[in-house]
Amino acid sequence: MTGAMDGHAEDRGRVFQASGDQHISEHHHYGDAAAPPSGPDSVRRPAVGRPPVVLRDRAEVLERLRDGMRAGRGGEVYVLYGMGGCGKTAVACTLFQLATAEYGRVGLWVSASDRASLRAGMLAVAADRGAGDGELLAARNGLRPAADLVWQYLDRSAEPWLLVLDNADQPEILRDGSWLRTSPLGTVVVTTRRSAAHWWPGAELQHIGVLPREDAARVLRDLAPHSGTQEEAAAIAERLGRLPLALTLAGGFLSQQVLDPWTLETYGRHLDEGERVELIDRGADALSERDPRHLVGLTWQLTLDVFEARGLPEATALLRLLARFAPEPLPLSLLDRAGISGVLPRARCETALRALLDQSLTELVDVGVRCAQSHGVLLDSVAAATPAEQVPVLDTTAVLLLDTAVPDVPDAGPHDPLLRLLVPHGLALLRRIGDPSTSADALAVVTRLSIALHRTGDYLSAWETARAAADLGERLLGAEHRLVLAARSRAGRALFRLGRYAEAEALLGHVRAAQERLFGADDPDTLDSGHGLQLVLGNLGRRDEAIRLVRSTVAGRRRVLGPAHPLTLRSRSGMLVLLPASEIVAEDGGTLLSLPSECVRFLGADHTVTLGAHHNRAWALYLLGRFDEAGQEIRLVTEAYRRRFGPDYPIALSAQQLLSRTQAARGHMDAAIELMADVVARRERGLGPDHPFTVAGRRLLGDLSSGRWRPPET
């Protein structure tokens, strides 16, 4: 060896410069089964409940949109904008059906309401267009630009397509990452409440407004044909401001009356007697006094009054509970839990939900998980009109239901689409709740949800969720509340995984200093931030600082949590890849190399910490020149990773790379080259040829093939 400083970092690993071939990787285990990243299973169908049987008064709009479907056309972006409840999604859904049935287009439907939903949906689009598991994993883990991957496959599509980005009421999330682009092979349609032209450069904007009088009347008669005449329907439609959402709610109500059916004349009389309900249509322009959105409150209030009169108060209670959540798909499993009894008897939840479905107050949608979804204008209206004395129990129950849906102790595992679906609902609770104690409970749950996302490798969603939760929690709890600091610490951990080391160091350093000042050096939260910070320092090349901090963290966790706690063992495992070879044998009283055996005894052979300890010990043995032992151990780890994650998962490739090194060190050069060639090929497919991990792997393969490679000096 020449003694040159030739270390390099690979696979989210850490490298510290030393004489000789010193390569140190930090290893983490994610999951119990091979599971490529997945998004919603429904990108081939609109995520809406019941599209209108007949789309009234949109012929001119549809004709303009159909022009984009005709042979040889592509590259267009159409933006359908208008107030909430005007039927933008209905127009997009009808176009979607036409594109797939008449024009031979592949239809792709993605919710753009929040970052997590947008990213998951767009990655599902990439998968639909042919992206491989390795590429999708890399995009989800933040190892390659996700939007670039999606549009690469859209541009390569063998079939023309229509892509709908629904509910893009925060256009900035489309701009971040450049999700909205054009392609000669397809047409993009966006639905939004935001019409400012600067959000949609180069797009064709199409306003979707309220319906003309006669068409609005026909909507009522489509839904409730026996409730009155066309002129009576026109009068009621005018009374409802000709807003499609209000018409749908009114028609749904009239169509379901059996024992004592209402006529349109009766319905109009009750409208005249009703009180206006305050309505907040988030993301749209301010309401005028005569804005038809005000009338949505009257339509659903009449329905709830009838529920009460007919002995079904549970339907009212359920709608008010749904209004604490976001207007996004809410997994039905969330409602089928004992905790709902604080608002309505669990045994009555099915009946209450059916009543809401019958009255079009909510819809069933299938996004890979069966969900209920209600319109945002309706939910805002219901939330604003909920009696103040009922709000505390509704908020408490909503938090409890969310709490039971998030794992108590999130563990490494395969991607779970349910977790992504819960994000907007957790953040909506933090926005709605006004009581500090309940807000703290909600923040704890959402932070745990961020941890669960992190441990599936969805680092972008984990960071966005933790950051947003901390910002929302700080409003009521203050910047130095324990839970706010814990959420910011999790955001820092996710930034580290995204490779944003400088930001991660600044955030984790600030949080840890505040925690130490407020709670003490041995507080579990302080120690957790310390563990995260030492990872960052190691990757920044500040080995001495990292070693001091990890030793302090191990000592603190031993005192507070005990020697057998998984977090204590995890921190000790990190020392196996952080310490130079000269210190490994003597560290921790000479017991560090036996750590995997301790993990097996305390946690079991299949625990994530145990498997990571075996991986790290294999690296330490390799540095010590004990190549036979290292090779045997890393082979078992590699096989376990491949079984659990599949051959393309980054950590499986990291283990295979170490296996290649041990094979070379034992003189099995052909086997080493074969293993490393496979690593490079998989990285090129997943990360691209220019990614640093790919480049580093190719360099090692070149050294092995040319005979330049040498084992580490001991």
Side-chain angles (χ1 to χ4, degrees), residues 35 76 513 586 714:
E76 295 89 352
T714 59

Side-chain angles (χ1 to χ4, degrees), residues 10-13 26-28 30 37 133-143 457 459 615 641 645-657 679 682-683 686-687 693:
E10 304 165 336
D11 292 346
R12 299 192 305 277
E26 178 205 350
H27 307 289
H28 287 261
Y30 297 102
D133 292 348
E135 296 169 301
L136 295 167
L137 280 164
R140 182 175 299 281
N141 293 353
L143 298 178
Y459 303 125
H615 193 163
Y641 284 154
F645 310 127
D648 292 311
Y649 206 88
I651 200 168
L653 294 176
S654 174
Q656 184 171 324
Q657 179 164 304
V679 169
R682 292 181 185 278
R683 283 180 176 162
L687 303 175
F693 297 171

Side-chain angles (χ1 to χ4, degrees), residues 205-220:
L205 274 67
Q206 174 63 57
H207 179 250
I208 307 294
V210 298
L211 297 172
R213 177 185 173 94
E214 292 304 312
D215 286 292
R218 291 189 183 98
V219 170
L220 282 176

